[in-house]
Amino acid sequence: MDTLLTTLGTCLYLPFIIQFFRMSWSKDAWPRQILLLALFLQWTTIMHLPSVMYITFGILTIAFIIYIAFSDLSSVIRVLPRNSSLIITLLYITCFTISLSWSVVPLKGVLAILSTGGPLLIFTLIGTSLHTTSEERVRMLRAACSVAYIFIAMTLLSWLLSCAQLHIYPWQWPVLTKMKIEYLDTFHYIFRWLGGLHGYTHPSYNLLPLFAITCLAIDLRRMNAIKPYAWWLLWAAGALITLLAQSRMGLLFVGIELVAYLILIQPTLRRRIIASIATAAIATTAIGCTLPFWQQYGADPIRDELTAKTLRYIQAKPWTGAGAGALNPVEICHTIGDNSWPRVGTITPEMRVEDWKPKTRMLPHNQWLADCAHAGIIAGLLCLALYLFLTLQAFRTHQWAALTFILIFIIFSFLEPPLYIGKGLYLFALLTAYLTAVQNASQPWARRGSSSPLRPTSIVP
């Protein structure tokens, strides 16, 4: 069953293959067309396996180098100093690089900086140097919706086949209970098409790209670029998969998407205000009536313990942190004088920081606490600045649908360290590139159209 579903999962690349063979190649703009195709392929792999996503990043980097080689470099260079996201990204990477000087595992630190800082830097540079048209972005988002529909179809197919294999009816599937099925969490079954029952089945990071395209599709709906049922299908399927995966965070994000859609779809400011007041009243009433259930369902003692111990560690090393690559349970427990770590067990004095495997239950479930513990408070503040400038870009360009997902990502970052996890990092970096490219379209050189490094050519006929 795992082999069958994993093989069928490659259907996710059908939209990319169709785009590739339908491309009307231009002898003047082919480097730009290759870069746009590589960006679309990167988005597709974010909804697939991390291993393929990392390989595609290498392809994207090569495509970007080719694009730059054939661009008007003077136009690109003029834009670079004006990009606040690029400046903050460089400072963020520099902060971790400096922390190598006190890290006890500098080699692991270098690998951590390359794996995190590399994608952030490349995607920001792509967004800074790439000029896209509104029509082009609409077509790219519609193609991304096609990938999302295949993602939904494969997830629901995995669920139905798992029900048949487990001899249970679909309506008997546990929801809102955190119940296991044959010693496995339910998300192992519905995401088994991503490498099997023990493949990449993390519910939060698998659902995050689906939430992203559902939010961005609100703009498509506002422009009548998709039919109403197309958006509702994305939202309803996302809500169903969230229930099947028993994702507590996902339930909140599904609610935010619905509220944002009901408000943003209104044609006038007056109706948006009325919709905002109405949804706020309904949401407050519903949460108030069911608060005890959500408090019990959302309780997470392990997350609370991780947060408490990390805060104690930050108080002990507020300015230096562990140093790049050296943040792990051994370092934290030895520093704060504790001898245990959740889901790890006893941390003895003989255990060494150097012997801990990278990215193995090493981080607190909070992005900014993780950065502060890793490279000091300055690193945490610079990460906060990355989020802030991304939010400001969405405000400046009136990308309210993107702002909805940024809100989801911010909430998610209080509960997970997404920039330390592949899918979260690449999704954040891709959103940065998207919003930076949108902002570039409003620049004087973009409006004139004469100084663009390579003239826009749509990737979709």
Side-chain angles (χ1 to χ4, degrees):
M1 184 72 75
D2 286 351
T3 302
L4 171 64
L5 289 171
T6 300
T7 303
L8 287 174
T10 57
C11 292
L12 200 70
Y13 297 93
L14 284 176
F16 170 77
I17 294 172
I18 292 171
Q19 300 290 0
F20 181 84
F21 284 104
R22 292 181 63 189
M23 175 73 72
S24 299
W25 294 98
S26 168
K27 65 178 182 179
D28 297 324
W30 63 267
R32 184 174 180 283
Q33 292 176 307
I34 290 177
L35 178 58
L36 289 172
L37 275 174
L39 280 170
F40 181 48
L41 179 60
Q42 186 73 75
W43 161 257
T44 305
T45 57
I46 287 177
M47 302 198 78
H48 198 220
L49 295 170
S51 56
V52 184
M53 183 181 70
Y54 298 138
I55 294 171
T56 304
F57 177 68
I59 297 173
L60 176 64
T61 303
I62 294 172
F64 178 58
I65 293 172
I66 294 173
Y67 171 77
I68 289 297
F70 286 86
S71 296
D72 179 1
L73 291 180
S74 62
S75 298
V76 175
I77 293 172
R78 277 202 306 271
V79 180
L80 292 180
R82 305 174 189 173
N83 191 315
S84 301
S85 294
L86 178 60
I87 296 171
I88 297 299
T89 298
L90 289 172
L91 291 174
Y92 182 66
I93 296 171
T94 301
C95 185
F96 276 89
T97 303
I98 293 173
S99 74
L100 288 172
S101 60
W102 58 79
S103 171
V104 297
V105 282
L107 180 58
K108 291 181 180 178
V110 171
L111 294 176
I113 292 170
L114 291 176
S115 63
T116 301
L120 283 175
L121 182 60
I122 294 297
F123 276 99
T124 306
L125 286 171
I126 290 174
T128 302
S129 57
L130 184 63
H131 169 218
T132 57
T133 65
S134 177
E135 178 187 11
E136 210 165 31
R137 292 191 295 273
V138 167
R139 290 178 175 177
M140 285 282 284
L141 288 177
R142 289 180 64 181
C145 286
S146 299
V147 179
Y149 292 133
I150 298 174
F151 175 92
I152 290 167
M154 285 305 309
T155 302
L156 295 181
L157 178 63
S158 296
W159 168 55
L160 292 174
L161 291 180
S162 294
C163 286
Q165 190 179 46
L166 295 166
H167 305 292
I168 62 175
Y169 291 107
W171 53 86
Q172 293 176 322
W173 193 267
V175 295
L176 300 177
T177 60
K178 283 296 178 183
M179 184 186 297
K180 295 179 183 291
I181 300 177
E182 293 190 357
Y183 307 103
L184 286 176
D185 291 304
T186 55
F187 53 78
H188 285 278
Y189 295 99
I190 67 172
F191 291 120
R192 64 192 299 184
W193 65 277
L194 294 171
L197 284 172
H198 299 286
Y200 192 84
T201 58
H202 195 294
S204 297
Y205 289 102
N206 280 330
L207 284 169
L208 203 59
L210 180 60
F211 294 145
I213 193 57
T214 304
C215 289
L216 294 175
I218 296 176
D219 270 344
L220 296 179
R221 175 66 192 92
R222 290 174 60 200
M223 294 181 286
N224 292 318
I226 59 174
K227 299 293 185 181
Y229 71 83
W231 187 88
W232 283 106
L233 178 61
L234 282 174
W235 180 83
L240 176 60
I241 293 172
T242 298
L243 288 171
L244 297 176
Q246 301 185 13
S247 173
R248 293 170 293 189
M249 288 183 284
L251 293 175
L252 173 62
F253 301 154
V254 165
I256 291 174
E257 289 172 349
L258 179 59
V259 170
Y261 178 82
L262 294 175
I263 293 172
L264 294 177
I265 203 64
Q266 303 303 320
T268 64
L269 178 60
R270 179 171 176 272
R271 291 182 62 174
R272 288 183 184 180
I273 293 173
I274 294 173
S276 300
I277 296 173
T279 52
I282 294 172
T284 302
T285 303
I287 293 173
C289 294
T290 58
L291 186 59
F293 167 77
W294 294 114
Q295 287 177 331
Q296 179 182 3
Y297 186 67
D300 194 333
I302 292 178
R303 192 186 303 271
D304 295 339
E305 184 179 353
L306 288 172
T307 300
K309 290 185 176 181
T310 304
L311 284 171
R312 288 168 57 192
Y313 180 80
I314 294 172
Q315 291 173 350
K317 293 185 176 182
W319 300 110
T320 62
L327 181 63
N328 58 49
V330 177
E331 164 67 16
I332 293 177
C333 288
H334 285 180
T335 301
I336 65 177
D338 208 321
N339 62 357
S340 66
W341 192 260
R343 294 180 177 173
V344 173
T346 303
I347 303 293
T348 64
E350 294 77 24
M351 296 178 70
R352 301 194 314 158
V353 176
E354 299 91 321
D355 296 334
W356 194 262
K357 293 181 180 179
K359 295 188 177 182
T360 306
R361 298 192 180 98
M362 58 182 266
L363 295 169
H365 283 28
N366 181 297
Q367 176 63 44
W368 301 288
L369 289 183
D371 276 326
C372 290
H374 206 162
I377 291 176
I378 294 176
L381 292 175
L382 287 172
C383 181
L384 186 63
L386 279 176
Y387 281 66
L388 176 61
F389 279 101
L390 189 66
T391 305
L392 289 176
Q393 279 182 319
F395 267 114
R396 291 192 192 113
T397 54
H398 306 293
Q399 296 292 309
W400 310 119
L403 193 61
T404 302
F405 179 68
I406 292 173
L407 173 61
I408 288 174
F409 201 90
I410 289 172
I411 296 172
F412 185 72
S413 297
F414 278 103
L415 306 168
E416 285 282 340
L419 299 191
Y420 286 85
I421 309 298
K423 284 200 175 187
L425 170 68
Y426 279 66
L427 188 56
F428 181 88
L430 190 60
L431 183 63
T432 300
Y434 174 78
L435 289 177
T436 305
V438 172
Q439 187 172 354
N440 281 349
S442 64
Q443 298 299 323
W445 66 268
R447 290 197 298 268
R448 290 194 302 269
S450 59
S451 302
S452 177
L454 284 172
R455 289 187 180 278
T457 301
S458 177
I459 71 162
V460 184

